[in-house]
């Protein structure tokens, strides 16, 4: 059988009794059926899909070797008081167990999930029972019944291939609220969400000694990929006696006999069923009854999901209690440390001192002490007896992870500035740049010489380790200035200029004939030539100075040379239009005598180098056509011929 780690809790109760309620011995639970190892060991996980086949809902599952994230999810009691977002009930079953699971999720997509467990009842045990718990959440899109989301629970006698009907059923939302369900106030998207809080089902397996039993839980979305269904599962862990309180301390002043959690109704009787003792889940005796007294409780499941069952108990004053505070532990930088262990029903837990504890009255609080602390756990039975104590020491160790910077996080390499990082001295220091350790950088101070993201990995004498927050440093080299190509403007008509787009600030000087002296694209409107310097300052402080000459003309003009010689001598190597007062061209195209287009561009100052598909063309006369827009917003078209000279 494949093993799978799983997070659901089924309440499992092993009862071994005569019909008259006399206990024979305690039945050992199958390994990890209650998920108390925090794993899915012994459980088989499944994934699959739900689909409609011939007006029937078919859940097609296949086994997987391990649980799938967000499909089979484990919850632990000491991780907080998490609630289901739709139902508001606890995600961990409130039956005293340490772990529960969720099967499925709130994402739709015709997903289906399953989990199963098989065990064999001992051959000499003709009286045998178990209890599981479940909670359900699903949308009700009001599809046809066979298309709706669902939860399927199957309990099967595998040996005889016989389904145990009292404990096997299917939940399907369809048109109206199911018994025991409520509509979530958090429904979204216009589709109602129904939920059912944790409920218990007892499985009477009397007469099945030596038989193999299988528990199988399945969840499925709707068949249209749009609506979800999921469930929570749990099994009880109390297998050493019938239920909580059957064993008590000989120095108890009271006894609380508590039936399994999750039923709708409880009725307690004396041994002869001639007197009703209580209608509550817990039956309390003050003082305790004589050793060997027997009682019975009839449990009724919610709304018919399961069968009415009667459980028996014999009280024995043989209980012993051993406090378990946990192992001495190191807490680094107030990292939460779990104390104690799983709670056991019927016991009372008190921790001292209370400082630094999440809850001083549970079996397994979380400690975050400011200083090293020895905690004392006092445990006793809820009847007052069996007092026991244990201690645990939490060593609190703090690393100062403050990182300081001397200098600037941004500077230019020619400015004379610097950046030095500092941390407090500790046992071990390793500086890291861009997630890679820096060889030899092990001192409290580190001088940064190149751009990157820096932090220090620190270790103290107690063995605690911590990384500082990252510090980003930018060190730039200044870019050399350039001279832009001359641009031509028509007298008194606006022309947009353009600077290189880098740096945080840009200043044009002088401001003559410009609508703005800042920015990358000021507009020139003037009637005389002007030379501009453009000062660009980067975030690092690096300064670059470019130049731009603007010449003015009376009107828009376009010239294309009547000859060019692409011989790479730097003179007249490219055929391109020379424009005056043009702000853009739509196209410049060149053709040979056969009408084949040799070149095309729509970018100013770009021309043809005499090559076609990479091959130099022979001397010839070529034709060209050109169209563009002047600074006066008029369309200009030109055509002509030019001689290619080799």
């Amino acid at each position: 059988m494949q093993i799978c780690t799983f997070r659901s809790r089924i309440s499992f109760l092993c009862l071994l009794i005569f019909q008259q309620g006399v206990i024979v011995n305690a039945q050992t639970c199958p390994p990890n059926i209650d998920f108390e190892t925090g794993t899915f060991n012994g459980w088989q996980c499944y994934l699959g899909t739900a689909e409609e086949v011939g007006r029937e809902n078919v859940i097609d599952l296949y086994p997987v070797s391990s649980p799938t994230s967000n499909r089979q999810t484990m919850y632990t009691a000491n991780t907080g008081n998490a609630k289901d977002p739709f139902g508001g009930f606890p995600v961990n079953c409130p039956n005293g167990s340490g772990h529960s699971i969720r099967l499925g999720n709130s994402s739709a997509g015709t997903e289906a999930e399953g989990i199963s467990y098989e065990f064999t009842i001992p051959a000499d045990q003709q009286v045998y029972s178990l209890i599981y718990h479940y909670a359900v959440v699903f949308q009700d899109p009001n599809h046809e019944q066979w298309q709706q989301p669902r939860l399927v629970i199957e309990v099967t006698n595998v040996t005889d291939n016989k389904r145990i009907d009292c404990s096997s059923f299917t939940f399907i939302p369809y048109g109206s609220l199911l018994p025991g369900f409520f509509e979530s106030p958090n429904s979204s998207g216009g589709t109602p969400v129904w939920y059912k809080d944790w409920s218990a089902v007892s499985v009477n397996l009397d007469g099945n000694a030596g038989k193999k039993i299988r528990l199988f839980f399945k969840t499925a979305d709707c068949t249209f990929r749009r609506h979800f269904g999921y469930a929570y599962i749990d099994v009880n862990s109390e297998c050493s006696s019938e239920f909580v309180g059957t064993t008590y301390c000989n120095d108890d002043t009271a006894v609380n006999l508590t039936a399994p959690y999750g039923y709708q109704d409880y009725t307690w009787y004396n041994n002869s069923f001639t007197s009703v003792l209580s209608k509550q889940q817990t039956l309390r005796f003050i003082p305790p009854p004589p050793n060997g007294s027997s009682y019975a409780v009839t449990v009724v499941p919610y709304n018919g999901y399961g069968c009415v069952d009667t459980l028996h108990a014999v009280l024995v004053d043989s209980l012993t209690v051993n406090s378990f505070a946990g192992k001495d532990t190191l807490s680094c930088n107030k990292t939460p440390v779990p104390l104690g262990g799983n709670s056991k029903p019927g016991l009372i837990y008190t921790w001292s001192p209370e400082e630094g504890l999440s809850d001083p009255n549970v079996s397994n609080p979380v400690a975050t002490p400011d200083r090293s602390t020895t905690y004392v756990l006092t445990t006793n039975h809820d009847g007052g007896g069996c007092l026991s104590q244990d201690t645990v020491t939490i060593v609190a160790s703090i690393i100062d992870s403050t990182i300081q910077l001397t200098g600037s996080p941004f500077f230019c390499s020619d400015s004379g500035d610097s950046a030095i990082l500092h941390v407090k001295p500790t046992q071990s220091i390793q500086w890291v740049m861009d997630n890679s350790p820096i060889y030899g950088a092990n001192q409290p101070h580190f001088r940064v010489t190149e751009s990157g993201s820096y932090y220090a990995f620190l270790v103290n004498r107690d063995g605690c380790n911590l990384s500082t927050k990252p510090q980003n440093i930018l060190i730039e080299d200044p870019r050399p200035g350039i001279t832009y190509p001359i641009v031509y403007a028509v007298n008194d008509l606006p022309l947009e200029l353009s600077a290189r787009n880098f740096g945080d600030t840009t200043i044009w000087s002088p401001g003559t004939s410009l609508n703005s002296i800042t920015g990358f694209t000021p507009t020139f409107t003037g009637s005389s030539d002007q030379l501009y310097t453009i000062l660009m300052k980067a975030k690092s402080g690096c300064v670059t100075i470019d130049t731009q000459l603007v010449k003015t003309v009376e009107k828009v003009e376009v010239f294309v040379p009547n000859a060019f010689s692409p011989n790479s001598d730097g003179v007249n190597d490219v055929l391109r239009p020379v424009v005056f007062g043009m702000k853009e061209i739509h196209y410049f195209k060149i053709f040979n005598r056969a009408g084949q287009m040799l070149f095309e561009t729509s970018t100013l100052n770009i021309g043809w180098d005499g090559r076609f598909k990479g091959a130099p063309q022979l001397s010839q006369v070529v034709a060209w056509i050109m169209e563009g827009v002047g600074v006066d917003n008029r369309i200009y078209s030109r055509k002509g011929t030019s001689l290619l000279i080799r």
Side-chain angles (χ1 to χ4, degrees):
M1 176 180 181
Q2 289 176 312
I3 299 300
C4 155
T5 300
F6 192 43
R7 270 197 173 190
S8 178
R9 287 192 73 79
I10 299 173
S11 281
F12 190 89
L13 183 64
C14 302
L15 300 178
L16 192 52
I17 55 179
F18 289 122
Q19 292 296 329
Q20 301 303 316
V22 180
I23 191 163
V24 177
N25 62 6
Q27 174 60 46
T28 302
C29 288
N32 198 45
I33 195 169
D34 54 4
F35 304 106
E36 285 311 299
T37 65
T39 70
F40 289 102
N41 292 343
W43 286 87
Q44 174 65 63
C45 294
Y46 303 84
L47 296 178
T49 57
E51 60 179 332
E52 173 195 347
V53 180
R55 296 172 67 87
E56 290 187 6
N57 185 280
V58 175
I59 299 178
D60 185 19
L61 296 175
Y62 58 90
V64 292
S65 60
S66 61
T68 301
S69 177
N70 203 33
R71 304 283 291 275
Q72 287 108 1
T73 305
M74 181 76 69
Y75 291 103
T76 302
N78 64 6
T79 57
N81 299 316
K83 307 287 186 181
D84 180 82
F86 298 100
F89 53 80
V91 297
N92 199 79
C93 183
N95 64 347
S97 60
H99 300 85
S100 296
I101 66 158
R102 189 188 70 219
L103 194 58
N105 54 58
S106 58
S107 300
T110 68
E111 293 180 342
E113 300 82 17
I115 186 168
S116 69
Y117 190 100
E118 293 186 0
F119 65 97
T120 300
I121 299 174
D124 59 346
Q125 305 300 326
Q126 289 297 337
V127 179
Y128 203 99
S129 296
L130 64 82
I131 294 173
Y132 65 78
H133 294 254
Y134 67 92
V136 188
V137 178
F138 40 36
Q139 288 180 304
D140 179 13
N142 200 24
H143 297 325
E144 297 294 339
Q145 186 171 356
W146 56 86
Q147 300 164 339
Q148 294 279 81
R150 62 198 56 222
L151 163 67
V152 178
I153 301 175
E154 297 174 351
V155 182
T156 306
N157 176 341
V158 178
T159 303
D160 299 333
N161 193 26
K162 181 180 179 181
R163 172 178 156 133
I164 301 174
D165 291 328
C166 270
S167 308
S168 304
F169 33 81
T170 300
F171 293 101
I172 307 171
Y174 187 59
S176 62
L177 282 176
L178 293 171
F181 277 76
F182 297 90
E183 184 170 349
S184 171
N186 300 323
S187 301
S188 59
T191 302
V193 175
W194 294 357
Y195 69 91
K196 181 179 176 66
D197 202 346
W198 286 100
S199 300
V201 174
S202 58
V203 183
N204 190 328
L205 298 172
D206 293 352
N208 286 292
K211 306 290 187 181
K212 179 181 287 188
I213 305 299
R214 179 176 63 228
L215 308 178
F216 208 145
F217 302 89
K218 308 173 185 178
T219 54
D221 299 332
C222 85
T223 60
F224 286 103
R225 303 183 64 86
R226 298 179 181 176
H227 305 97
F228 63 80
Y230 63 90
Y232 298 89
I233 309 294
D234 192 28
V235 182
N236 277 350
S237 301
E238 286 297 308
C239 301
S240 60
S241 64
E242 294 94 321
F243 36 77
V244 177
T246 55
T247 58
Y248 61 97
C249 303
N250 57 18
D251 60 343
D252 273 336
T253 59
V255 168
N256 297 309
L257 195 57
T258 303
Y261 167 85
Y263 289 91
Q264 180 170 314
D265 293 308
Y266 301 86
T267 304
W268 287 93
Y269 299 93
N270 60 4
N271 186 43
S272 61
F273 286 85
T274 57
S275 177
V276 174
L277 305 180
S278 175
K279 291 282 190 177
Q280 303 301 315
Q281 182 187 0
T282 298
L283 178 62
R284 183 171 176 82
F285 297 98
I286 303 176
N291 182 37
S293 299
S294 60
Y295 301 91
V297 61
T298 298
V299 291
V300 179
Y302 279 91
N303 304 295
Y305 291 109
C307 294
V308 176
D309 202 356
T310 298
L311 309 176
H312 301 265
V314 176
L315 274 64
V316 181
D317 62 351
S318 61
L319 181 64
T320 59
V321 173
N322 294 308
S323 272
F324 177 68
K327 296 180 179 180
D328 294 347
T329 307
L330 173 67
S331 174
C332 298
N333 281 66
K334 300 188 70 173
T335 299
V337 175
L339 304 184
N342 291 335
S343 64
K344 294 183 179 180
L347 300 184
I348 296 174
Y349 303 90
T350 305
W351 292 83
S352 178
E354 299 183 3
E355 289 77 10
L357 296 182
S358 60
D359 188 338
N361 300 117
V362 297
S363 66
N364 50 4
V366 174
T368 53
D370 292 320
R371 61 184 182 275
S372 297
T373 304
T374 296
Y375 292 100
V376 179
L377 169 63
T378 301
T379 308
N380 61 276
H381 194 226
D382 60 9
C386 292
L387 186 70
S388 176
Q389 289 188 329
D390 191 24
T391 62
V392 62
T393 298
I394 305 301
V395 176
S397 182
I398 304 297
I399 299 178
D400 188 339
S401 61
T402 304
I403 184 170
Q404 295 180 327
L405 170 66
T406 299
S408 173
F410 312 108
F411 61 91
C412 194
S413 59
D414 65 353
S415 66
D417 290 337
S418 64
I420 302 176
L421 300 175
H422 311 268
V423 293
K424 294 294 180 62
T426 188
Q427 179 72 11
S428 173
I429 300 172
Q430 175 61 65
W431 289 97
V432 179
M433 170 188 169
D434 294 338
N435 295 319
S436 296
I438 304 171
Y439 179 75
N442 309 116
Q443 300 302 313
H445 311 293
F446 178 74
R447 179 180 292 274
V448 179
T449 58
E450 57 182 310
S451 298
S453 177
Y454 293 84
Y455 68 88
F457 181 75
L458 311 174
V459 181
N460 68 7
R461 294 183 182 275
D462 295 321
C464 291
N465 61 78
L466 191 66
S467 295
T468 67
K469 292 182 179 180
Q471 172 68 61
N472 293 321
I473 303 294
L474 176 63
I475 306 173
E476 286 188 331
D477 294 324
R479 302 191 190 190
I482 64 172
T483 298
Y484 301 156
I486 297 172
V487 295
Y488 293 88
V490 175
N491 288 338
D492 298 322
L493 290 181
L495 174 67
E496 184 178 85
L497 306 181
S498 179
R500 288 191 287 174
N501 191 350
F502 67 87
D504 276 5
T505 59
T506 302
I507 299 177
W508 295 68
S509 180
T512 305
S513 302
L514 297 179
N515 68 333
S516 172
I517 64 170
T518 61
F520 297 104
T521 56
T523 299
F524 172 90
T525 306
S527 57
S528 60
D529 297 351
Q530 184 64 57
L531 177 65
Y532 294 102
T533 60
I534 306 107
L535 185 149
M536 291 166 285
K537 189 173 183 179
K539 186 176 182 179
S540 64
C542 290
V543 174
T544 299
I545 298 177
D546 292 344
T547 58
Q548 172 70 74
L549 176 61
V550 180
K551 299 184 76 67
T552 56
V553 295
E554 293 294 329
K555 61 181 179 177
V556 175
E557 295 287 354
V558 178
F559 299 101
V560 177
N562 56 16
F564 76 112
S565 55
N567 55 7
S568 300
D569 63 354
V571 179
N572 208 21
D573 286 328
V574 176
L575 180 65
R576 62 178 178 83
V578 179
V579 297
F580 302 93
M582 295 286 292
K583 63 180 180 180
E584 64 178 276
I585 63 171
H586 292 159
Y587 56 80
F588 175 61
K589 301 178 182 180
I590 299 174
F591 302 86
N592 60 19
R593 288 186 174 183
Q596 184 178 28
M597 188 169 67
L598 304 175
F599 176 77
E600 178 183 18
T601 185
S602 59
T603 303
L604 285 168
N605 300 316
I606 298 297
W608 184 45
D609 64 357
R611 295 175 179 271
F612 181 62
K613 295 182 178 181
Q617 301 298 293
L618 299 176
S619 297
Q620 58 184 296
V621 175
V622 295
W624 54 265
I625 57 175
M626 178 244 176
E627 180 182 280
V629 180
V631 295
D632 55 2
N633 293 319
R634 293 175 56 189
I635 301 296
Y636 291 85
S637 298
R638 298 287 189 270
K639 60 182 178 179
T641 60
S642 295
L643 176 63
L644 188 161
I645 302 173
R646 289 291 184 187

